[in-house]
């Protein structure tokens, strides 16, 4: 961008462009880390700019961040096309990244297994809960029926007491 040529932001921008071109070769991991540092410095520098320049700088930074991410993705996926010694230097980084990715995948599979077991446990608990609820409903019906019979028996006992009391009065008259 021509607007930033004579500013510290412009210097960072020029340096970043050069580093992004180098990121395709040997030692790309170190260069990408430097690019990320430069982006952080550019963001700090952007804060001191006037509002209209700040907007343009923010757009430029977004573009550069995407380029750095693309370069980093290419490196992680085995795309660092440096020849000879550079490729040998990058192999351990790629191997460690693959190892981390494999470890992450293993943890993810383990967590999915735990989640599956938890779902099965929840399903079993729900089934048991439904059985208990239906059994409690049946017991409630039995208790209500028994309560109704007890109430009927109490009413019959009250009637019997009333009749017995009347009979007792009738016999006492004689």
């Amino acid at each position: 961008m021509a607007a930033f040529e004579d500013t510290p932001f412009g210097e960072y921008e020029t340096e970043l462009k050069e580093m992004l071109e180098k990121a395709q070769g040997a030692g790309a991991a170190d260069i990408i880390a430097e690019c990320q540092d430069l982006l952080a410095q550019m963001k700090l520098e952007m804060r001191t700019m006037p509002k209209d320049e700040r907007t343009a700088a923010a757009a430029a930074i977004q573009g550069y961040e995407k380029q750095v991410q693309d370069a980093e993705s290419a490196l992680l996926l085995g795309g660092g096309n440096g020849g000879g010694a550079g490729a040998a230097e990058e192999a351990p980084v790629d191997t460690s990244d693959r190892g981390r990715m494999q470890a992450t995948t293993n943890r993810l599979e383990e967590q999915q297994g735990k989640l599956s077991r938890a779902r099965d446990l929840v399903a079993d608990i729900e089934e048991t809960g439904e059985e208990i609820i239906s059994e409690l409903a049946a017991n409630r019906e039995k208790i209500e029926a028994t309560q109704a019979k007890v109430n009927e028996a109490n009413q019959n006992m009250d009637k019997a007491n009333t009749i017995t009391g009347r009979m007792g009065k009738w016999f006492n008259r004689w």
Side-chain angles (χ1 to χ4, degrees):
M1 302 206 127
F4 305 120
E5 282 182 3
D6 296 329
T7 64
F9 187 88
E11 293 172 14
Y12 292 140
E13 188 175 28
T14 304
E15 188 176 350
L16 182 64
K17 286 179 183 178
E18 291 172 3
M19 293 177 97
L20 283 171
E21 289 174 12
K22 292 179 185 176
Q24 305 304 319
D30 294 334
I31 293 173
I32 289 173
E34 288 181 42
C35 287
Q36 290 170 338
D37 290 341
L38 271 176
L39 283 169
Q41 291 173 358
M42 289 171 75
K43 287 178 183 177
L44 287 174
E45 189 64 36
M46 178 182 70
R47 293 180 184 174
T48 64
M49 296 178 165
K51 186 173 183 170
D52 58 332
E53 288 181 18
R54 193 176 325 139
T55 304
I61 288 174
Q62 277 186 324
Y64 292 130
E65 284 177 331
K66 176 149 179 35
Q67 289 178 359
V68 169
Q69 286 175 348
D70 291 346
E72 189 174 22
S73 294
L75 175 68
L76 291 175
L77 295 174
N81 293 333
E89 289 176 14
E90 290 178 343
V93 173
D94 192 37
T95 303
S96 69
D97 288 339
R98 288 179 194 216
R100 280 186 293 177
M101 287 175 26
Q102 183 62 42
T104 302
T105 302
N106 292 343
R107 282 195 307 266
L108 179 61
E109 288 173 354
E110 180 181 323
Q111 294 300 322
Q112 286 176 336
K114 287 180 181 179
L115 184 59
S116 177
R117 288 189 299 274
R119 284 185 182 138
D120 292 343
L121 180 62
V122 167
D124 288 345
I125 290 171
E126 284 180 347
E127 184 178 324
T128 303
E130 289 172 1
E131 289 173 3
I132 290 171
I133 288 173
S134 67
E135 192 171 320
L136 287 172
N139 288 346
R140 180 184 191 116
E141 290 174 6
K142 289 177 184 176
I143 290 171
E144 287 173 349
T146 304
Q147 185 69 37
K149 288 178 183 177
V150 167
N151 287 337
E152 185 180 342
N154 281 338
Q155 288 174 356
N156 289 337
M157 292 289 286
D158 289 342
K159 285 181 186 176
N161 282 338
T162 304
I163 293 172
T164 307
R166 285 182 189 163
M167 288 173 71
K169 286 180 186 176
W170 184 70
F171 281 121
N172 284 339
R173 280 190 213 169
W174 298 85

